[in-house]
Amino acid sequence: LTFPLLSVTLLVSFGSSMLYGYNLAVVNSPAEHIKAFYNATWSQRYGQGLGPAPLTLLYALTVSIFALGGLGGSLLVGLLVERYGRNGALSRSALLVLLAGSFMGFSRELGSPELVIIGRSITGVHSGICLSVVPLYLGEIAPKNLRGFLGLMPSIFICLGVFSAQVLGLPELLGKDMFWPLFLSVVVVPASLQLLLLHCFPESPRYLLIERNDVCGATKALQRFLGSPDVQDVIEEMQEEQRSLSSMEMASVWQLLRERSLRWQTLSVAVLNAGMQLSGIDAIWFYTNTIFENAGIPVSQIPYTTMGTGAIEVVAGLIGCFTIERVGRRPLIITGFCAMGVCSAGITVSLLLQAALPWMRYVSVACVVGIIAGFCMGPAGVPFLVTAELFMQSHRPAAYIVGGSLNWLCNFTIGFIFPFLQMSAGAFCYLVFCGVCLLVALYVYLVIPETKNKTFMEISHIFA
């Protein structure tokens, strides 16, 4: 593990992945202040306020528009990484955050709820790009024995982003009514740092050699990242992959979906990415305060309870990062989804028994913590890492588009319908998440092989 490898991993994780986690949780604590702003603005414009149902709908749109932006960003990944490279795509995408932060920061001064919604959608576009490009970049620059460790580093920063939003959202900090525009626009700080520093690091050597045929540039990049002048073995491995792909162009999404030899890899990416979001983790992140309120936690204690869950996320992410190279990818994914499924069922049981047994509210909190810990240990980052490992260079961008699109579509679905699902099904809504988690764990156990310490060519041969 060299200093340049660790530095660029920390930089892109802080400047990109952390923003994804922050934007997932940032709308949780100021929800009532934002709703009050919407209501007051509507009253000024039209002479009367919004009713509960339209206000809930407008706020649900504010929450879930982030995922629609993410869907748009994920569809741009193939074009951006082919034209600008991995490093270049990340640098350019940071400009979107500066624009979005300006919109959200000045929304109240301009009396415009529309700017909040537009800003959320633009941050979604940025996250949609980075959620695919960061693991793609790190997966290509890391040696095979460090792919798991470096590939899970972004998931730790996603957890740190969630935790940062929970801490800054405390009433003593930016959780007050007067500060919520600043709270939403803090995202410009990490993005500015990435924009300033990322050009100091080389482009992905695999991109330079296999797609640009720049052997000299790839050699220099490898020597910088690996800290060794002798990189001939790695160059030869990449040239072997380049020769195997010499008759192929970069595959489109349609070509990937039609490729019979890659059907199981494509299906596996689809199951993992859809399962991540349909597991219920986004419902926990978007509506943590509402869930704890329904569980009977006193309102004054909810922000601190939420912050405690965020701290546990970070610890769980660190455990996953430091154990993945020892235990492998499959055990982390299977264990994580099983834990989430059991805890989702536990929330249903605890809510049903809460009227008779008031202490069951603490069981609900423990189950929420179990869902978050299970997710952060494996499903949070491993699917993005596995997507890079299951495909050769020619099909990897298309695979990220497929996985990212499903990821964001399911993210939007959960973010938008969960409040209504909770109103209609009550405690039983968590059983849906339980079923999804257990089915994904079963699929991984039956279908997906272990990819630890294997080259991309070896993994391709396993599926073949």
Short mmCIF file of all heavy atoms in Angstrom, two decimals, residues 400-430:
data_model
loop_
_atom_site.label_atom_id
_atom_site.label_comp_id
_atom_site.label_asym_id
_atom_site.label_seq_id
_atom_site.Cartn_x
_atom_site.Cartn_y
_atom_site.Cartn_z
N TYR A 400 -21.56 -1.00 -15.18
CA TYR A 400 -21.82 0.02 -14.17
C TYR A 400 -23.08 0.83 -14.50
O TYR A 400 -23.79 1.28 -13.60
CB TYR A 400 -20.62 0.95 -14.01
CG TYR A 400 -19.65 0.45 -12.97
CD1 TYR A 400 -18.43 -0.12 -13.34
CD2 TYR A 400 -19.95 0.52 -11.62
CE1 TYR A 400 -17.54 -0.60 -12.39
CE2 TYR A 400 -19.06 0.04 -10.66
CZ TYR A 400 -17.86 -0.51 -11.05
OH TYR A 400 -16.99 -0.98 -10.11
N ILE A 401 -23.35 1.03 -15.78
CA ILE A 401 -24.58 1.74 -16.15
C ILE A 401 -25.80 0.91 -15.77
O ILE A 401 -26.77 1.43 -15.20
CB ILE A 401 -24.59 2.05 -17.67
CG1 ILE A 401 -23.49 3.06 -18.01
CG2 ILE A 401 -25.95 2.57 -18.11
CD1 ILE A 401 -23.32 3.31 -19.49
N VAL A 402 -25.76 -0.39 -16.06
CA VAL A 402 -26.88 -1.28 -15.71
C VAL A 402 -27.08 -1.31 -14.19
O VAL A 402 -28.19 -1.09 -13.68
CB VAL A 402 -26.64 -2.71 -16.24
CG1 VAL A 402 -27.69 -3.67 -15.70
CG2 VAL A 402 -26.67 -2.71 -17.76
N GLY A 403 -25.99 -1.57 -13.46
CA GLY A 403 -26.09 -1.64 -12.00
C GLY A 403 -26.50 -0.32 -11.39
O GLY A 403 -27.37 -0.26 -10.50
N GLY A 404 -25.89 0.77 -11.87
CA GLY A 404 -26.21 2.09 -11.32
C GLY A 404 -27.64 2.50 -11.60
O GLY A 404 -28.31 3.08 -10.73
N SER A 405 -28.14 2.21 -12.80
CA SER A 405 -29.52 2.58 -13.14
C SER A 405 -30.52 1.86 -12.23
O SER A 405 -31.46 2.47 -11.70
CB SER A 405 -29.81 2.23 -14.60
OG SER A 405 -28.93 2.90 -15.46
N LEU A 406 -30.31 0.56 -12.03
CA LEU A 406 -31.19 -0.20 -11.14
C LEU A 406 -31.07 0.31 -9.70
O LEU A 406 -32.07 0.41 -8.98
CB LEU A 406 -30.85 -1.68 -11.20
CG LEU A 406 -31.40 -2.44 -12.42
CD1 LEU A 406 -30.78 -3.82 -12.49
CD2 LEU A 406 -32.91 -2.55 -12.33
N ASN A 407 -29.85 0.60 -9.30
CA ASN A 407 -29.61 1.11 -7.95
C ASN A 407 -30.43 2.36 -7.69
O ASN A 407 -31.14 2.48 -6.69
CB ASN A 407 -28.11 1.40 -7.81
CG ASN A 407 -27.69 1.66 -6.38
OD1 ASN A 407 -28.22 2.53 -5.72
ND2 ASN A 407 -26.70 0.91 -5.92
N TRP A 408 -30.36 3.30 -8.64
CA TRP A 408 -31.04 4.58 -8.44
C TRP A 408 -32.55 4.48 -8.64
O TRP A 408 -33.32 5.18 -7.97
CB TRP A 408 -30.45 5.63 -9.37
CG TRP A 408 -29.09 6.05 -8.92
CD1 TRP A 408 -27.88 5.69 -9.45
CD2 TRP A 408 -28.78 6.91 -7.81
NE1 TRP A 408 -26.85 6.26 -8.76
CE2 TRP A 408 -27.37 7.02 -7.75
CE3 TRP A 408 -29.55 7.59 -6.88
CZ2 TRP A 408 -26.73 7.78 -6.79
CZ3 TRP A 408 -28.91 8.36 -5.92
CH2 TRP A 408 -27.52 8.45 -5.88
N LEU A 409 -33.00 3.64 -9.56
CA LEU A 409 -34.44 3.44 -9.73
C LEU A 409 -35.07 2.90 -8.45
O LEU A 409 -36.13 3.35 -8.00
CB LEU A 409 -34.71 2.48 -10.89
CG LEU A 409 -34.82 3.08 -12.29
CD1 LEU A 409 -34.93 1.97 -13.33
CD2 LEU A 409 -36.03 4.02 -12.38
N CYS A 410 -34.41 1.92 -7.85
CA CYS A 410 -34.93 1.34 -6.60
C CYS A 410 -34.80 2.32 -5.45
O CYS A 410 -35.66 2.37 -4.56
CB CYS A 410 -34.19 0.03 -6.29
SG CYS A 410 -34.45 -1.25 -7.52
N ASN A 411 -33.73 3.13 -5.46
CA ASN A 411 -33.56 4.18 -4.45
C ASN A 411 -34.73 5.15 -4.51
O ASN A 411 -35.32 5.51 -3.48
CB ASN A 411 -32.22 4.89 -4.71
CG ASN A 411 -31.89 5.94 -3.67
OD1 ASN A 411 -32.70 6.81 -3.36
ND2 ASN A 411 -30.69 5.88 -3.15
N PHE A 412 -35.07 5.60 -5.72
CA PHE A 412 -36.19 6.52 -5.90
C PHE A 412 -37.50 5.88 -5.44
O PHE A 412 -38.32 6.51 -4.76
CB PHE A 412 -36.31 6.93 -7.37
CG PHE A 412 -37.55 7.72 -7.67
CD1 PHE A 412 -37.64 9.06 -7.34
CD2 PHE A 412 -38.64 7.10 -8.27
CE1 PHE A 412 -38.79 9.78 -7.60
CE2 PHE A 412 -39.80 7.81 -8.55
CZ PHE A 412 -39.87 9.16 -8.21
N THR A 413 -37.69 4.62 -5.82
CA THR A 413 -38.93 3.93 -5.47
C THR A 413 -39.12 3.89 -3.95
O THR A 413 -40.20 4.21 -3.44
CB THR A 413 -38.92 2.49 -6.04
OG1 THR A 413 -38.76 2.56 -7.45
CG2 THR A 413 -40.21 1.76 -5.70
N ILE A 414 -38.07 3.49 -3.23
CA ILE A 414 -38.17 3.41 -1.77
C ILE A 414 -38.35 4.79 -1.15
O ILE A 414 -39.20 5.00 -0.27
CB ILE A 414 -36.91 2.72 -1.18
CG1 ILE A 414 -36.86 1.26 -1.62
CG2 ILE A 414 -36.91 2.81 0.33
CD1 ILE A 414 -38.02 0.41 -1.13
N GLY A 415 -37.57 5.78 -1.62
CA GLY A 415 -37.66 7.12 -1.05
C GLY A 415 -39.03 7.75 -1.25
O GLY A 415 -39.53 8.48 -0.38
N PHE A 416 -39.67 7.44 -2.37
CA PHE A 416 -40.95 8.07 -2.69
C PHE A 416 -42.13 7.35 -2.04
O PHE A 416 -43.05 7.98 -1.50
CB PHE A 416 -41.15 8.11 -4.21
CG PHE A 416 -42.31 8.98 -4.64
CD1 PHE A 416 -42.18 10.36 -4.63
CD2 PHE A 416 -43.51 8.43 -5.03
CE1 PHE A 416 -43.25 11.17 -5.00
CE2 PHE A 416 -44.57 9.22 -5.41
CZ PHE A 416 -44.44 10.61 -5.40
N ILE A 417 -42.11 6.00 -2.06
CA ILE A 417 -43.31 5.29 -1.60
C ILE A 417 -43.28 4.91 -0.13
O ILE A 417 -44.33 4.57 0.44
CB ILE A 417 -43.57 4.01 -2.44
CG1 ILE A 417 -42.52 2.92 -2.12
CG2 ILE A 417 -43.61 4.32 -3.91
CD1 ILE A 417 -42.85 1.57 -2.71
N PHE A 418 -42.09 4.96 0.53
CA PHE A 418 -42.03 4.48 1.90
C PHE A 418 -42.99 5.21 2.85
O PHE A 418 -43.66 4.55 3.66
CB PHE A 418 -40.61 4.54 2.45
CG PHE A 418 -40.49 4.06 3.87
CD1 PHE A 418 -40.60 2.70 4.17
CD2 PHE A 418 -40.32 4.95 4.93
CE1 PHE A 418 -40.52 2.25 5.47
CE2 PHE A 418 -40.25 4.50 6.24
CZ PHE A 418 -40.35 3.15 6.51
N PRO A 419 -43.10 6.57 2.79
CA PRO A 419 -44.06 7.22 3.71
C PRO A 419 -45.49 6.71 3.53
O PRO A 419 -46.22 6.53 4.50
CB PRO A 419 -43.95 8.70 3.35
CG PRO A 419 -42.63 8.84 2.69
CD PRO A 419 -42.39 7.56 1.97
N PHE A 420 -45.88 6.46 2.25
CA PHE A 420 -47.24 5.98 1.99
C PHE A 420 -47.38 4.50 2.37
O PHE A 420 -48.42 4.08 2.86
CB PHE A 420 -47.58 6.20 0.51
CG PHE A 420 -47.43 7.64 0.08
CD1 PHE A 420 -46.28 8.07 -0.59
CD2 PHE A 420 -48.41 8.57 0.36
CE1 PHE A 420 -46.14 9.39 -0.98
CE2 PHE A 420 -48.27 9.91 -0.02
CZ PHE A 420 -47.14 10.32 -0.69
N LEU A 421 -46.31 3.73 2.13
CA LEU A 421 -46.32 2.31 2.54
C LEU A 421 -46.44 2.19 4.05
O LEU A 421 -47.19 1.35 4.57
CB LEU A 421 -45.03 1.63 2.06
CG LEU A 421 -44.86 0.14 2.34
CD1 LEU A 421 -45.90 -0.67 1.60
CD2 LEU A 421 -43.46 -0.33 1.95
N GLN A 422 -45.74 3.08 4.75
CA GLN A 422 -45.79 3.06 6.21
C GLN A 422 -47.19 3.43 6.72
O GLN A 422 -47.69 2.85 7.68
CB GLN A 422 -44.75 4.04 6.76
CG GLN A 422 -44.36 3.81 8.21
CD GLN A 422 -43.23 4.72 8.63
OE1 GLN A 422 -43.12 5.85 8.16
NE2 GLN A 422 -42.38 4.25 9.51
N MET A 423 -47.84 4.39 6.04
CA MET A 423 -49.19 4.78 6.45
C MET A 423 -50.21 3.68 6.20
O MET A 423 -51.13 3.49 6.97
CB MET A 423 -49.60 6.06 5.71
CG MET A 423 -48.95 7.33 6.24
SD MET A 423 -49.66 8.85 5.55
CE MET A 423 -49.03 8.81 3.87
N SER A 424 -50.03 2.93 5.10
CA SER A 424 -51.03 1.91 4.74
C SER A 424 -50.78 0.56 5.41
O SER A 424 -51.72 -0.10 5.86
CB SER A 424 -51.06 1.74 3.22
OG SER A 424 -49.79 1.33 2.75
N ALA A 425 -49.52 0.13 5.48
CA ALA A 425 -49.22 -1.21 6.01
C ALA A 425 -48.74 -1.20 7.45
O ALA A 425 -48.68 -2.25 8.09
CB ALA A 425 -48.18 -1.89 5.13
N GLY A 426 -48.37 -0.03 7.97
CA GLY A 426 -47.90 0.05 9.35
C GLY A 426 -46.64 -0.77 9.57
O GLY A 426 -45.72 -0.77 8.75
N ALA A 427 -46.62 -1.52 10.65
CA ALA A 427 -45.43 -2.29 11.02
C ALA A 427 -45.10 -3.38 10.01
O ALA A 427 -43.95 -3.80 9.89
CB ALA A 427 -45.64 -2.92 12.40
N PHE A 428 -46.10 -3.84 9.24
CA PHE A 428 -45.86 -4.95 8.32
C PHE A 428 -45.05 -4.54 7.09
O PHE A 428 -44.61 -5.41 6.33
CB PHE A 428 -47.20 -5.54 7.87
CG PHE A 428 -47.95 -6.21 8.98
CD1 PHE A 428 -49.01 -5.56 9.61
CD2 PHE A 428 -47.60 -7.47 9.43
CE1 PHE A 428 -49.70 -6.17 10.65
CE2 PHE A 428 -48.27 -8.08 10.47
CZ PHE A 428 -49.33 -7.43 11.09
N CYS A 429 -44.85 -3.23 6.87
CA CYS A 429 -44.09 -2.80 5.69
C CYS A 429 -42.65 -3.31 5.74
O CYS A 429 -42.01 -3.52 4.70
CB CYS A 429 -44.11 -1.28 5.56
SG CYS A 429 -43.24 -0.38 6.87
N TYR A 430 -42.12 -3.57 6.95
CA TYR A 430 -40.73 -4.02 7.07
C TYR A 430 -40.56 -5.49 6.65
O TYR A 430 -39.44 -5.93 6.39
CB TYR A 430 -40.23 -3.81 8.49
CG TYR A 430 -40.22 -2.35 8.90
CD1 TYR A 430 -41.28 -1.81 9.62
CD2 TYR A 430 -39.20 -1.51 8.51
CE1 TYR A 430 -41.29 -0.47 9.98
CE2 TYR A 430 -39.20 -0.17 8.86
CZ TYR A 430 -40.26 0.34 9.59
OH TYR A 430 -40.26 1.68 9.93
#
